[in-house]
């Protein structure tokens, strides 16, 4: 029989402006990769995002970062 496992939706980037979601098996891997991708997104789009968009990205970043605590 097939064994079911949990997967965690993860934000990935190639550091060239491309972002996508993919499922990762490990929670810590998903968290680390998503945070790194969000940091890259923030660095790449500093001048291109509206205030509302920046706030949404910051809220998501803080939420993911709080999972370390």
């Amino acid at each position: 029989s097939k064994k079911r496992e949990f997967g965690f939706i993860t934000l990935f980037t190639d550091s060239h402006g491309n972002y996508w979601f993919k499922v990762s098996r490990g929670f810590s891997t998903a968290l680390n990769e998503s945070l790194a991708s969000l940091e890259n997104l923030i660095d790449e789009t500093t001048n291109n995002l509206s205030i509302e968009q920046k706030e949404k990205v910051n809220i998501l970043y803080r939420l993911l970062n709080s999972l370390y605590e």
Side-chain angles (χ1 to χ4, degrees):
S1 69
K2 289 188 175 184
K3 183 178 177 183
R4 292 186 179 220
E5 295 183 25
F6 283 107
F8 301 93
I9 298 173
T10 308
L11 179 64
F12 284 90
T13 184
D14 63 1
S15 298
H16 296 290
N18 299 307
Y19 295 85
W20 65 93
F21 291 104
K22 185 173 142 182
V23 176
S24 294
R25 282 196 244 167
F27 177 74
S28 61
T29 301
L31 184 57
N32 290 332
E33 189 67 39
S34 294
L35 282 169
S37 295
L38 283 174
E39 288 173 1
N40 196 34
L41 177 67
I42 292 165
D43 291 343
E44 284 184 351
T45 60
T46 301
N47 299 322
N48 300 330
L49 296 179
S50 69
I51 293 171
E52 293 84 16
Q53 291 170 324
K54 286 179 183 179
E55 185 60 28
K56 286 180 183 180
V57 172
N58 286 330
I59 288 169
L60 181 55
Y61 186 88
R62 287 191 304 266
L63 174 67
L64 291 177
N65 199 41
S66 72
L67 296 175
Y68 278 117
E69 299 171 359

